[in-house]
PDB file of all heavy atoms in Angstrom:
ATOM      1  N   MET Y 825       9.717  18.677   1.428  1.00  0.00           N
ATOM      2  CA  MET Y 825       8.736  18.780   0.358  1.00  0.00           C
ATOM      3  C   MET Y 825       8.892  17.607  -0.603  1.00  0.00           C
ATOM      4  O   MET Y 825       7.882  17.032  -1.073  1.00  0.00           O
ATOM      5  CB  MET Y 825       8.932  20.105  -0.435  1.00  0.00           C
ATOM      6  CG  MET Y 825       8.619  21.363   0.372  1.00  0.00           C
ATOM      7  SD  MET Y 825       6.925  21.357   1.003  1.00  0.00           S
ATOM      8  CE  MET Y 825       6.008  21.446  -0.501  1.00  0.00           C
ATOM      9  N   THR Y 826      10.124  17.200  -0.896  1.00  0.00           N
ATOM     10  CA  THR Y 826      10.328  16.104  -1.786  1.00  0.00           C
ATOM     11  C   THR Y 826       9.832  14.775  -1.136  1.00  0.00           C
ATOM     12  O   THR Y 826       9.217  13.922  -1.798  1.00  0.00           O
ATOM     13  CB  THR Y 826      11.846  15.933  -2.120  1.00  0.00           C
ATOM     14  OG1 THR Y 826      12.314  17.194  -2.610  1.00  0.00           O
ATOM     15  CG2 THR Y 826      12.095  14.850  -3.142  1.00  0.00           C
ATOM     16  N   GLY Y 827      10.066  14.595   0.184  1.00  0.00           N
ATOM     17  CA  GLY Y 827       9.609  13.425   0.878  1.00  0.00           C
ATOM     18  C   GLY Y 827       8.067  13.380   0.880  1.00  0.00           C
ATOM     19  O   GLY Y 827       7.500  12.280   0.666  1.00  0.00           O
ATOM     20  N   LEU Y 828       7.421  14.495   1.127  1.00  0.00           N
ATOM     21  CA  LEU Y 828       5.952  14.553   1.149  1.00  0.00           C
ATOM     22  C   LEU Y 828       5.380  14.254  -0.242  1.00  0.00           C
ATOM     23  O   LEU Y 828       4.383  13.520  -0.354  1.00  0.00           O
ATOM     24  CB  LEU Y 828       5.475  15.926   1.621  1.00  0.00           C
ATOM     25  CG  LEU Y 828       5.571  16.187   3.118  1.00  0.00           C
ATOM     26  CD1 LEU Y 828       5.280  17.647   3.438  1.00  0.00           C
ATOM     27  CD2 LEU Y 828       4.615  15.286   3.912  1.00  0.00           C
ATOM     28  N   PHE Y 829       6.028  14.733  -1.269  1.00  0.00           N
ATOM     29  CA  PHE Y 829       5.534  14.525  -2.616  1.00  0.00           C
ATOM     30  C   PHE Y 829       5.603  13.025  -2.939  1.00  0.00           C
ATOM     31  O   PHE Y 829       4.636  12.449  -3.469  1.00  0.00           O
ATOM     32  CB  PHE Y 829       6.387  15.318  -3.629  1.00  0.00           C
ATOM     33  CG  PHE Y 829       6.070  14.983  -5.070  1.00  0.00           C
ATOM     34  CD1 PHE Y 829       4.912  15.474  -5.670  1.00  0.00           C
ATOM     35  CD2 PHE Y 829       6.901  14.159  -5.829  1.00  0.00           C
ATOM     36  CE1 PHE Y 829       4.622  15.158  -6.993  1.00  0.00           C
ATOM     37  CE2 PHE Y 829       6.635  13.855  -7.100  1.00  0.00           C
ATOM     38  CZ  PHE Y 829       5.447  14.340  -7.736  1.00  0.00           C
ATOM     39  N   GLY Y 830       6.746  12.395  -2.668  1.00  0.00           N
ATOM     40  CA  GLY Y 830       6.866  10.949  -2.971  1.00  0.00           C
ATOM     41  C   GLY Y 830       5.863  10.129  -2.196  1.00  0.00           C
ATOM     42  O   GLY Y 830       5.311   9.166  -2.731  1.00  0.00           O
ATOM     43  N   SER Y 831       5.597  10.509  -0.971  1.00  0.00           N
ATOM     44  CA  SER Y 831       4.650   9.761  -0.155  1.00  0.00           C
ATOM     45  C   SER Y 831       3.198  10.005  -0.636  1.00  0.00           C
ATOM     46  O   SER Y 831       2.362   9.137  -0.603  1.00  0.00           O
ATOM     47  CB  SER Y 831       4.795  10.163   1.305  1.00  0.00           C
ATOM     48  OG  SER Y 831       4.124   9.234   2.149  1.00  0.00           O
ATOM     49  N   PHE Y 832       2.904  11.224  -1.060  1.00  0.00           N
ATOM     50  CA  PHE Y 832       1.569  11.521  -1.622  1.00  0.00           C
ATOM     51  C   PHE Y 832       1.282  10.697  -2.847  1.00  0.00           C
ATOM     52  O   PHE Y 832       0.157  10.178  -3.042  1.00  0.00           O
ATOM     53  CB  PHE Y 832       1.474  13.040  -1.985  1.00  0.00           C
ATOM     54  CG  PHE Y 832       0.883  13.849  -0.887  1.00  0.00           C
ATOM     55  CD1 PHE Y 832       1.588  14.918  -0.363  1.00  0.00           C
ATOM     56  CD2 PHE Y 832      -0.388  13.584  -0.353  1.00  0.00           C
ATOM     57  CE1 PHE Y 832       1.096  15.701   0.656  1.00  0.00           C
ATOM     58  CE2 PHE Y 832      -0.877  14.378   0.665  1.00  0.00           C
ATOM     59  CZ  PHE Y 832      -0.187  15.429   1.184  1.00  0.00           C
ATOM     60  N   VAL Y 833       2.303  10.515  -3.716  1.00  0.00           N
ATOM     61  CA  VAL Y 833       2.110   9.691  -4.903  1.00  0.00           C
ATOM     62  C   VAL Y 833       1.780   8.271  -4.512  1.00  0.00           C
ATOM     63  O   VAL Y 833       0.866   7.663  -5.075  1.00  0.00           O
ATOM     64  CB  VAL Y 833       3.409   9.741  -5.768  1.00  0.00           C
ATOM     65  CG1 VAL Y 833       3.332   8.738  -6.879  1.00  0.00           C
ATOM     66  CG2 VAL Y 833       3.649  11.128  -6.296  1.00  0.00           C
ATOM     67  N   GLN Y 834       2.504   7.724  -3.545  1.00  0.00           N
ATOM     68  CA  GLN Y 834       2.229   6.356  -3.105  1.00  0.00           C
ATOM     69  C   GLN Y 834       0.851   6.231  -2.450  1.00  0.00           C
ATOM     70  O   GLN Y 834       0.110   5.253  -2.699  1.00  0.00           O
ATOM     71  CB  GLN Y 834       3.295   5.909  -2.117  1.00  0.00           C
ATOM     72  CG  GLN Y 834       4.702   5.836  -2.658  1.00  0.00           C
ATOM     73  CD  GLN Y 834       5.693   5.449  -1.638  1.00  0.00           C
ATOM     74  OE1 GLN Y 834       5.760   4.311  -1.215  1.00  0.00           O
ATOM     75  NE2 GLN Y 834       6.521   6.392  -1.189  1.00  0.00           N
ATOM     76  N   LEU Y 835       0.486   7.230  -1.677  1.00  0.00           N
ATOM     77  CA  LEU Y 835      -0.815   7.218  -0.979  1.00  0.00           C
ATOM     78  C   LEU Y 835      -1.979   7.247  -2.009  1.00  0.00           C
ATOM     79  O   LEU Y 835      -2.956   6.525  -1.864  1.00  0.00           O
ATOM     80  CB  LEU Y 835      -0.924   8.380  -0.010  1.00  0.00           C
ATOM     81  CG  LEU Y 835      -2.156   8.422   0.879  1.00  0.00           C
ATOM     82  CD1 LEU Y 835      -2.100   7.270   1.874  1.00  0.00           C
ATOM     83  CD2 LEU Y 835      -2.252   9.753   1.624  1.00  0.00           C
ATOM     84  N   ARG Y 836      -1.822   8.061  -3.040  1.00  0.00           N
ATOM     85  CA  ARG Y 836      -2.863   8.157  -4.057  1.00  0.00           C
ATOM     86  C   ARG Y 836      -3.081   6.820  -4.739  1.00  0.00           C
ATOM     87  O   ARG Y 836      -4.264   6.424  -4.956  1.00  0.00           O
ATOM     88  CB  ARG Y 836      -2.411   9.208  -5.116  1.00  0.00           C
ATOM     89  CG  ARG Y 836      -3.365   9.379  -6.266  1.00  0.00           C
ATOM     90  CD  ARG Y 836      -4.645  10.069  -5.809  1.00  0.00           C
ATOM     91  NE  ARG Y 836      -5.584  10.246  -6.908  1.00  0.00           N
ATOM     92  CZ  ARG Y 836      -6.449   9.364  -7.289  1.00  0.00           C
ATOM     93  NH1 ARG Y 836      -6.494   8.154  -6.727  1.00  0.00           N
ATOM     94  NH2 ARG Y 836      -7.285   9.612  -8.299  1.00  0.00           N
ATOM     95  N   VAL Y 837      -2.037   6.110  -5.042  1.00  0.00           N
ATOM     96  CA  VAL Y 837      -2.143   4.799  -5.692  1.00  0.00           C
ATOM     97  C   VAL Y 837      -2.641   3.754  -4.693  1.00  0.00           C
ATOM     98  O   VAL Y 837      -3.454   2.862  -5.030  1.00  0.00           O
ATOM     99  CB  VAL Y 837      -0.845   4.348  -6.330  1.00  0.00           C
ATOM    100  CG1 VAL Y 837      -0.948   3.017  -7.036  1.00  0.00           C
ATOM    101  CG2 VAL Y 837      -0.324   5.431  -7.319  1.00  0.00           C
ATOM    102  N   LEU Y 838      -2.219   3.871  -3.439  1.00  0.00           N
ATOM    103  CA  LEU Y 838      -2.626   2.905  -2.387  1.00  0.00           C
ATOM    104  C   LEU Y 838      -4.112   2.891  -2.233  1.00  0.00           C
ATOM    105  O   LEU Y 838      -4.750   1.841  -2.010  1.00  0.00           O
ATOM    106  CB  LEU Y 838      -1.919   3.265  -1.095  1.00  0.00           C
ATOM    107  CG  LEU Y 838      -2.118   2.323   0.084  1.00  0.00           C
ATOM    108  CD1 LEU Y 838      -1.618   0.908  -0.248  1.00  0.00           C
ATOM    109  CD2 LEU Y 838      -1.412   2.818   1.352  1.00  0.00           C
ATOM    110  N   PHE Y 839      -4.734   4.084  -2.335  1.00  0.00           N
ATOM    111  CA  PHE Y 839      -6.220   4.167  -2.196  1.00  0.00           C
ATOM    112  C   PHE Y 839      -6.989   3.542  -3.367  1.00  0.00           C
ATOM    113  O   PHE Y 839      -8.209   3.352  -3.285  1.00  0.00           O
ATOM    114  CB  PHE Y 839      -6.638   5.597  -1.990  1.00  0.00           C
ATOM    115  CG  PHE Y 839      -6.542   6.105  -0.583  1.00  0.00           C
ATOM    116  CD1 PHE Y 839      -5.712   7.166  -0.265  1.00  0.00           C
ATOM    117  CD2 PHE Y 839      -7.198   5.448   0.450  1.00  0.00           C
ATOM    118  CE1 PHE Y 839      -5.595   7.591   1.027  1.00  0.00           C
ATOM    119  CE2 PHE Y 839      -7.090   5.918   1.762  1.00  0.00           C
ATOM    120  CZ  PHE Y 839      -6.287   6.982   2.042  1.00  0.00           C
ATOM    121  N   GLN Y 840      -6.240   3.206  -4.418  1.00  0.00           N
ATOM    122  CA  GLN Y 840      -6.899   2.556  -5.587  1.00  0.00           C
ATOM    123  C   GLN Y 840      -6.865   1.035  -5.463  1.00  0.00           C
ATOM    124  O   GLN Y 840      -7.527   0.357  -6.250  1.00  0.00           O
ATOM    125  CB  GLN Y 840      -6.150   2.966  -6.895  1.00  0.00           C
ATOM    126  CG  GLN Y 840      -6.060   4.443  -7.115  1.00  0.00           C
ATOM    127  CD  GLN Y 840      -7.406   5.132  -7.111  1.00  0.00           C
ATOM    128  OE1 GLN Y 840      -8.307   4.666  -7.798  1.00  0.00           O
ATOM    129  NE2 GLN Y 840      -7.517   6.256  -6.384  1.00  0.00           N
ATOM    130  N   LEU Y 841      -6.158   0.508  -4.500  1.00  0.00           N
ATOM    131  CA  LEU Y 841      -6.040  -0.942  -4.341  1.00  0.00           C
ATOM    132  C   LEU Y 841      -7.320  -1.521  -3.738  1.00  0.00           C
ATOM    133  O   LEU Y 841      -8.013  -0.884  -2.919  1.00  0.00           O
ATOM    134  CB  LEU Y 841      -4.853  -1.319  -3.490  1.00  0.00           C
ATOM    135  CG  LEU Y 841      -3.474  -0.957  -4.012  1.00  0.00           C
ATOM    136  CD1 LEU Y 841      -2.406  -1.380  -3.000  1.00  0.00           C
ATOM    137  CD2 LEU Y 841      -3.227  -1.576  -5.374  1.00  0.00           C
ATOM    138  N   HIS Y 842      -7.653  -2.753  -4.104  1.00  0.00           N
ATOM    139  CA  HIS Y 842      -8.819  -3.491  -3.553  1.00  0.00           C
ATOM    140  C   HIS Y 842      -8.245  -4.577  -2.619  1.00  0.00           C
ATOM    141  O   HIS Y 842      -7.236  -5.192  -2.910  1.00  0.00           O
ATOM    142  CB  HIS Y 842      -9.600  -4.145  -4.678  1.00  0.00           C
ATOM    143  CG  HIS Y 842     -10.316  -3.175  -5.557  1.00  0.00           C
ATOM    144  ND1 HIS Y 842     -11.560  -3.419  -6.099  1.00  0.00           N
ATOM    145  CD2 HIS Y 842      -9.949  -1.938  -5.997  1.00  0.00           C
ATOM    146  CE1 HIS Y 842     -11.914  -2.372  -6.833  1.00  0.00           C
ATOM    147  NE2 HIS Y 842     -10.933  -1.464  -6.789  1.00  0.00           N
ATOM    148  N   PHE Y 843      -8.931  -4.762  -1.509  1.00  0.00           N
ATOM    149  CA  PHE Y 843      -8.581  -5.832  -0.545  1.00  0.00           C
ATOM    150  C   PHE Y 843      -9.808  -6.699  -0.331  1.00  0.00           C
ATOM    151  O   PHE Y 843     -10.818  -6.224   0.183  1.00  0.00           O
ATOM    152  CB  PHE Y 843      -8.102  -5.232   0.767  1.00  0.00           C
ATOM    153  CG  PHE Y 843      -6.848  -4.396   0.618  1.00  0.00           C
ATOM    154  CD1 PHE Y 843      -6.907  -3.035   0.362  1.00  0.00           C
ATOM    155  CD2 PHE Y 843      -5.610  -5.005   0.692  1.00  0.00           C
ATOM    156  CE1 PHE Y 843      -5.730  -2.277   0.270  1.00  0.00           C
ATOM    157  CE2 PHE Y 843      -4.422  -4.252   0.586  1.00  0.00           C
ATOM    158  CZ  PHE Y 843      -4.509  -2.898   0.331  1.00  0.00           C
ATOM    159  N   CYS Y 844      -9.722  -7.956  -0.783  1.00  0.00           N
ATOM    160  CA  CYS Y 844     -10.890  -8.807  -0.723  1.00  0.00           C
ATOM    161  C   CYS Y 844     -10.532 -10.209  -0.205  1.00  0.00           C
ATOM    162  O   CYS Y 844     -11.359 -11.121  -0.252  1.00  0.00           O
ATOM    163  CB  CYS Y 844     -11.525  -8.904  -2.084  1.00  0.00           C
ATOM    164  SG  CYS Y 844     -10.406  -9.384  -3.415  1.00  0.00           S
ATOM    165  N   GLY Y 845      -9.314 -10.369   0.298  1.00  0.00           N
ATOM    166  CA  GLY Y 845      -8.899 -11.677   0.754  1.00  0.00           C
ATOM    167  C   GLY Y 845      -8.432 -11.648   2.183  1.00  0.00           C
ATOM    168  O   GLY Y 845      -9.074 -10.988   3.043  1.00  0.00           O
ATOM    169  N   PRO Y 846      -7.298 -12.261   2.527  1.00  0.00           N
ATOM    170  CA  PRO Y 846      -6.758 -12.304   3.887  1.00  0.00           C
ATOM    171  C   PRO Y 846      -6.481 -10.874   4.381  1.00  0.00           C
ATOM    172  O   PRO Y 846      -6.139 -10.008   3.582  1.00  0.00           O
ATOM    173  CB  PRO Y 846      -5.479 -13.103   3.764  1.00  0.00           C
ATOM    174  CG  PRO Y 846      -5.692 -13.943   2.515  1.00  0.00           C
ATOM    175  CD  PRO Y 846      -6.467 -13.086   1.581  1.00  0.00           C
ATOM    176  N   ASN Y 847      -6.597 -10.661   5.672  1.00  0.00           N
ATOM    177  CA  ASN Y 847      -6.373  -9.330   6.206  1.00  0.00           C
ATOM    178  C   ASN Y 847      -5.293  -9.299   7.298  1.00  0.00           C
ATOM    179  O   ASN Y 847      -5.203  -8.398   8.095  1.00  0.00           O
ATOM    180  CB  ASN Y 847      -7.692  -8.745   6.795  1.00  0.00           C
ATOM    181  CG  ASN Y 847      -8.151  -9.533   7.988  1.00  0.00           C
ATOM    182  OD1 ASN Y 847      -7.827 -10.720   8.146  1.00  0.00           O
ATOM    183  ND2 ASN Y 847      -8.917  -8.879   8.879  1.00  0.00           N
ATOM    184  N   VAL Y 848      -4.468 -10.355   7.309  1.00  0.00           N
ATOM    185  CA  VAL Y 848      -3.430 -10.479   8.362  1.00  0.00           C
ATOM    186  C   VAL Y 848      -2.081  -9.963   7.789  1.00  0.00           C
ATOM    187  O   VAL Y 848      -1.606 -10.456   6.787  1.00  0.00           O
ATOM    188  CB  VAL Y 848      -3.269 -11.914   8.865  1.00  0.00           C
ATOM    189  CG1 VAL Y 848      -2.153 -12.046   9.883  1.00  0.00           C
ATOM    190  CG2 VAL Y 848      -4.579 -12.401   9.436  1.00  0.00           C
ATOM    191  N   ILE Y 849      -1.519  -8.962   8.482  1.00  0.00           N
ATOM    192  CA  ILE Y 849      -0.205  -8.427   8.065  1.00  0.00           C
ATOM    193  C   ILE Y 849       0.845  -8.971   8.984  1.00  0.00           C
ATOM    194  O   ILE Y 849       0.857  -8.722  10.208  1.00  0.00           O
ATOM    195  CB  ILE Y 849      -0.220  -6.868   8.164  1.00  0.00           C
ATOM    196  CG1 ILE Y 849      -1.336  -6.283   7.212  1.00  0.00           C
ATOM    197  CG2 ILE Y 849       1.138  -6.280   7.844  1.00  0.00           C
ATOM    198  CD1 ILE Y 849      -1.471  -4.774   7.360  1.00  0.00           C
ATOM    199  N   ASN Y 850       1.772  -9.726   8.440  1.00  0.00           N
ATOM    200  CA  ASN Y 850       2.858 -10.333   9.193  1.00  0.00           C
ATOM    201  C   ASN Y 850       3.965  -9.300   9.413  1.00  0.00           C
ATOM    202  O   ASN Y 850       5.077  -9.409   8.886  1.00  0.00           O
ATOM    203  CB  ASN Y 850       3.375 -11.587   8.496  1.00  0.00           C
ATOM    204  CG  ASN Y 850       4.415 -12.306   9.331  1.00  0.00           C
ATOM    205  OD1 ASN Y 850       4.502 -12.081  10.542  1.00  0.00           O
ATOM    206  ND2 ASN Y 850       5.123 -13.205   8.731  1.00  0.00           N
ATOM    207  N   HIS Y 851       3.656  -8.277  10.188  1.00  0.00           N
ATOM    208  CA  HIS Y 851       4.603  -7.167  10.478  1.00  0.00           C
ATOM    209  C   HIS Y 851       4.144  -6.446  11.681  1.00  0.00           C
ATOM    210  O   HIS Y 851       3.048  -6.683  12.209  1.00  0.00           O
ATOM    211  CB  HIS Y 851       4.680  -6.244   9.274  1.00  0.00           C
ATOM    212  CG  HIS Y 851       6.066  -5.687   9.020  1.00  0.00           C
ATOM    213  ND1 HIS Y 851       6.800  -5.093   9.999  1.00  0.00           N
ATOM    214  CD2 HIS Y 851       6.815  -5.645   7.906  1.00  0.00           C
ATOM    215  CE1 HIS Y 851       7.949  -4.698   9.483  1.00  0.00           C
ATOM    216  NE2 HIS Y 851       8.015  -5.038   8.219  1.00  0.00           N
ATOM    217  N   PHE Y 852       5.000  -5.519  12.212  1.00  0.00           N
ATOM    218  CA  PHE Y 852       4.635  -4.748  13.360  1.00  0.00           C
ATOM    219  C   PHE Y 852       4.121  -3.378  12.999  1.00  0.00           C
ATOM    220  O   PHE Y 852       3.768  -2.592  13.856  1.00  0.00           O
ATOM    221  CB  PHE Y 852       5.768  -4.655  14.360  1.00  0.00           C
ATOM    222  CG  PHE Y 852       7.042  -4.048  13.830  1.00  0.00           C
ATOM    223  CD1 PHE Y 852       7.256  -2.659  13.887  1.00  0.00           C
ATOM    224  CD2 PHE Y 852       8.049  -4.854  13.293  1.00  0.00           C
ATOM    225  CE1 PHE Y 852       8.427  -2.125  13.408  1.00  0.00           C
ATOM    226  CE2 PHE Y 852       9.220  -4.290  12.786  1.00  0.00           C
ATOM    227  CZ  PHE Y 852       9.420  -2.915  12.851  1.00  0.00           C
ATOM    228  N   PHE Y 853       4.146  -3.063  11.695  1.00  0.00           N
ATOM    229  CA  PHE Y 853       3.542  -1.798  11.225  1.00  0.00           C
ATOM    230  C   PHE Y 853       3.067  -2.014   9.797  1.00  0.00           C
ATOM    231  O   PHE Y 853       3.378  -3.028   9.142  1.00  0.00           O
ATOM    232  CB  PHE Y 853       4.492  -0.593  11.342  1.00  0.00           C
ATOM    233  CG  PHE Y 853       5.594  -0.599  10.332  1.00  0.00           C
ATOM    234  CD1 PHE Y 853       5.548   0.225   9.245  1.00  0.00           C
ATOM    235  CD2 PHE Y 853       6.758  -1.399  10.488  1.00  0.00           C
ATOM    236  CE1 PHE Y 853       6.602   0.257   8.297  1.00  0.00           C
ATOM    237  CE2 PHE Y 853       7.776  -1.390   9.568  1.00  0.00           C
ATOM    238  CZ  PHE Y 853       7.690  -0.526   8.508  1.00  0.00           C
ATOM    239  N   CYS Y 854       2.311  -1.069   9.284  1.00  0.00           N
ATOM    240  CA  CYS Y 854       1.756  -1.173   7.914  1.00  0.00           C
ATOM    241  C   CYS Y 854       2.831  -0.768   6.873  1.00  0.00           C
ATOM    242  O   CYS Y 854       2.937   0.415   6.551  1.00  0.00           O
ATOM    243  CB  CYS Y 854       0.530  -0.289   7.786  1.00  0.00           C
ATOM    244  SG  CYS Y 854      -0.845  -0.813   8.778  1.00  0.00           S
ATOM    245  N   ASP Y 855       3.572  -1.729   6.404  1.00  0.00           N
ATOM    246  CA  ASP Y 855       4.604  -1.477   5.416  1.00  0.00           C
ATOM    247  C   ASP Y 855       4.059  -1.863   4.013  1.00  0.00           C
ATOM    248  O   ASP Y 855       3.231  -2.748   3.910  1.00  0.00           O
ATOM    249  CB  ASP Y 855       5.846  -2.257   5.751  1.00  0.00           C
ATOM    250  CG  ASP Y 855       7.113  -1.661   5.082  1.00  0.00           C
ATOM    251  OD1 ASP Y 855       6.981  -0.543   4.483  1.00  0.00           O
ATOM    252  OD2 ASP Y 855       8.193  -2.255   5.150  1.00  0.00           O
ATOM    253  N   LEU Y 856       4.551  -1.172   3.031  1.00  0.00           N
ATOM    254  CA  LEU Y 856       4.012  -1.354   1.677  1.00  0.00           C
ATOM    255  C   LEU Y 856       4.089  -2.774   1.122  1.00  0.00           C
ATOM    256  O   LEU Y 856       3.124  -3.239   0.536  1.00  0.00           O
ATOM    257  CB  LEU Y 856       4.696  -0.365   0.727  1.00  0.00           C
ATOM    258  CG  LEU Y 856       4.134  -0.306  -0.696  1.00  0.00           C
ATOM    259  CD1 LEU Y 856       2.645   0.123  -0.667  1.00  0.00           C
ATOM    260  CD2 LEU Y 856       4.937   0.657  -1.541  1.00  0.00           C
ATOM    261  N   PRO Y 857       5.242  -3.447   1.182  1.00  0.00           N
ATOM    262  CA  PRO Y 857       5.309  -4.798   0.606  1.00  0.00           C
ATOM    263  C   PRO Y 857       4.263  -5.718   1.146  1.00  0.00           C
ATOM    264  O   PRO Y 857       3.655  -6.539   0.399  1.00  0.00           O
ATOM    265  CB  PRO Y 857       6.697  -5.259   0.970  1.00  0.00           C
ATOM    266  CG  PRO Y 857       7.505  -4.005   1.180  1.00  0.00           C
ATOM    267  CD  PRO Y 857       6.550  -2.990   1.747  1.00  0.00           C
ATOM    268  N   GLN Y 858       3.939  -5.609   2.426  1.00  0.00           N
ATOM    269  CA  GLN Y 858       2.952  -6.513   3.023  1.00  0.00           C
ATOM    270  C   GLN Y 858       1.506  -6.145   2.536  1.00  0.00           C
ATOM    271  O   GLN Y 858       0.685  -6.998   2.348  1.00  0.00           O
ATOM    272  CB  GLN Y 858       2.977  -6.414   4.565  1.00  0.00           C
ATOM    273  CG  GLN Y 858       4.104  -7.191   5.187  1.00  0.00           C
ATOM    274  CD  GLN Y 858       5.484  -6.664   4.854  1.00  0.00           C
ATOM    275  OE1 GLN Y 858       5.648  -5.462   4.787  1.00  0.00           O
ATOM    276  NE2 GLN Y 858       6.451  -7.556   4.641  1.00  0.00           N
ATOM    277  N   LEU Y 859       1.241  -4.864   2.330  1.00  0.00           N
ATOM    278  CA  LEU Y 859      -0.049  -4.431   1.802  1.00  0.00           C
ATOM    279  C   LEU Y 859      -0.237  -4.886   0.377  1.00  0.00           C
ATOM    280  O   LEU Y 859      -1.327  -5.320   0.001  1.00  0.00           O
ATOM    281  CB  LEU Y 859      -0.171  -2.905   1.884  1.00  0.00           C
ATOM    282  CG  LEU Y 859      -0.306  -2.297   3.288  1.00  0.00           C
ATOM    283  CD1 LEU Y 859      -0.288  -0.797   3.231  1.00  0.00           C
ATOM    284  CD2 LEU Y 859      -1.574  -2.823   3.971  1.00  0.00           C
ATOM    285  N   LEU Y 860       0.836  -4.887  -0.408  1.00  0.00           N
ATOM    286  CA  LEU Y 860       0.737  -5.332  -1.798  1.00  0.00           C
ATOM    287  C   LEU Y 860       0.449  -6.823  -1.861  1.00  0.00           C
ATOM    288  O   LEU Y 860      -0.278  -7.307  -2.740  1.00  0.00           O
ATOM    289  CB  LEU Y 860       2.019  -5.008  -2.570  1.00  0.00           C
ATOM    290  CG  LEU Y 860       2.321  -3.555  -2.801  1.00  0.00           C
ATOM    291  CD1 LEU Y 860       3.637  -3.394  -3.576  1.00  0.00           C
ATOM    292  CD2 LEU Y 860       1.188  -2.893  -3.599  1.00  0.00           C
ATOM    293  N   ILE Y 861       1.009  -7.575  -0.916  1.00  0.00           N
ATOM    294  CA  ILE Y 861       0.746  -9.040  -0.902  1.00  0.00           C
ATOM    295  C   ILE Y 861      -0.720  -9.325  -0.609  1.00  0.00           C
ATOM    296  O   ILE Y 861      -1.301 -10.256  -1.208  1.00  0.00           O
ATOM    297  CB  ILE Y 861       1.659  -9.651   0.232  1.00  0.00           C
ATOM    298  CG1 ILE Y 861       3.125  -9.669  -0.191  1.00  0.00           C
ATOM    299  CG2 ILE Y 861       1.238 -11.112   0.449  1.00  0.00           C
ATOM    300  CD1 ILE Y 861       4.049 -10.138   0.906  1.00  0.00           C
ATOM    301  N   LEU Y 862      -1.315  -8.511   0.213  1.00  0.00           N
ATOM    302  CA  LEU Y 862      -2.724  -8.751   0.599  1.00  0.00           C
ATOM    303  C   LEU Y 862      -3.719  -8.222  -0.439  1.00  0.00           C
ATOM    304  O   LEU Y 862      -4.909  -8.583  -0.446  1.00  0.00           O
ATOM    305  CB  LEU Y 862      -3.051  -8.042   1.934  1.00  0.00           C
ATOM    306  CG  LEU Y 862      -2.294  -8.585   3.143  1.00  0.00           C
ATOM    307  CD1 LEU Y 862      -2.719  -7.851   4.407  1.00  0.00           C
ATOM    308  CD2 LEU Y 862      -2.531 -10.093   3.348  1.00  0.00           C
ATOM    309  N   SER Y 863      -3.302  -7.354  -1.335  1.00  0.00           N
ATOM    310  CA  SER Y 863      -4.212  -6.785  -2.288  1.00  0.00           C
ATOM    311  C   SER Y 863      -4.618  -7.782  -3.359  1.00  0.00           C
ATOM    312  O   SER Y 863      -3.815  -8.595  -3.835  1.00  0.00           O
ATOM    313  CB  SER Y 863      -3.540  -5.546  -2.963  1.00  0.00           C
ATOM    314  OG  SER Y 863      -4.383  -5.059  -3.998  1.00  0.00           O
ATOM    315  N   CYS Y 864      -5.943  -7.733  -3.737  1.00  0.00           N
ATOM    316  CA  CYS Y 864      -6.397  -8.605  -4.829  1.00  0.00           C
ATOM    317  C   CYS Y 864      -6.482  -7.850  -6.122  1.00  0.00           C
ATOM    318  O   CYS Y 864      -7.017  -8.336  -7.108  1.00  0.00           O
ATOM    319  CB  CYS Y 864      -7.766  -9.191  -4.462  1.00  0.00           C
ATOM    320  SG  CYS Y 864      -9.011  -8.005  -4.055  1.00  0.00           S
ATOM    321  N   SER Y 865      -5.955  -6.614  -6.155  1.00  0.00           N
ATOM    322  CA  SER Y 865      -5.882  -5.804  -7.395  1.00  0.00           C
ATOM    323  C   SER Y 865      -4.614  -6.174  -8.158  1.00  0.00           C
ATOM    324  O   SER Y 865      -3.692  -6.781  -7.620  1.00  0.00           O
ATOM    325  CB  SER Y 865      -5.898  -4.338  -7.074  1.00  0.00           C
ATOM    326  OG  SER Y 865      -7.017  -3.950  -6.332  1.00  0.00           O
ATOM    327  N   ASP Y 866      -4.580  -5.735  -9.388  1.00  0.00           N
ATOM    328  CA  ASP Y 866      -3.388  -5.851 -10.231  1.00  0.00           C
ATOM    329  C   ASP Y 866      -2.410  -4.740  -9.724  1.00  0.00           C
ATOM    330  O   ASP Y 866      -2.677  -3.574  -9.832  1.00  0.00           O
ATOM    331  CB  ASP Y 866      -3.654  -5.672 -11.654  1.00  0.00           C
ATOM    332  CG  ASP Y 866      -2.445  -5.850 -12.527  1.00  0.00           C
ATOM    333  OD1 ASP Y 866      -1.372  -6.194 -12.007  1.00  0.00           O
ATOM    334  OD2 ASP Y 866      -2.576  -5.653 -13.812  1.00  0.00           O
ATOM    335  N   THR Y 867      -1.282  -5.124  -9.121  1.00  0.00           N
ATOM    336  CA  THR Y 867      -0.362  -4.148  -8.562  1.00  0.00           C
ATOM    337  C   THR Y 867       0.759  -3.764  -9.501  1.00  0.00           C
ATOM    338  O   THR Y 867       1.737  -3.107  -9.080  1.00  0.00           O
ATOM    339  CB  THR Y 867       0.247  -4.733  -7.230  1.00  0.00           C
ATOM    340  OG1 THR Y 867       0.961  -5.963  -7.557  1.00  0.00           O
ATOM    341  CG2 THR Y 867      -0.831  -5.029  -6.232  1.00  0.00           C
ATOM    342  N   PHE Y 868       0.622  -4.131 -10.774  1.00  0.00           N
ATOM    343  CA  PHE Y 868       1.710  -3.845 -11.747  1.00  0.00           C
ATOM    344  C   PHE Y 868       1.957  -2.339 -11.813  1.00  0.00           C
ATOM    345  O   PHE Y 868       3.138  -1.889 -11.770  1.00  0.00           O
ATOM    346  CB  PHE Y 868       1.367  -4.369 -13.111  1.00  0.00           C
ATOM    347  CG  PHE Y 868       2.418  -4.043 -14.167  1.00  0.00           C
ATOM    348  CD1 PHE Y 868       3.608  -4.689 -14.184  1.00  0.00           C
ATOM    349  CD2 PHE Y 868       2.134  -3.075 -15.101  1.00  0.00           C
ATOM    350  CE1 PHE Y 868       4.581  -4.372 -15.146  1.00  0.00           C
ATOM    351  CE2 PHE Y 868       3.129  -2.737 -16.070  1.00  0.00           C
ATOM    352  CZ  PHE Y 868       4.301  -3.421 -16.067  1.00  0.00           C
TER     353      PHE Y 868
END
């Protein structure tokens, strides 16, 4: 339950991000640091 809660919080914020630039992820899966690099939103 704790793991699901923490992931739900991240997912909720992830859906608020905008992506308007490069779409290439230099990874073998969708990891958060790489998604933040590609986002053109303020990730603070």
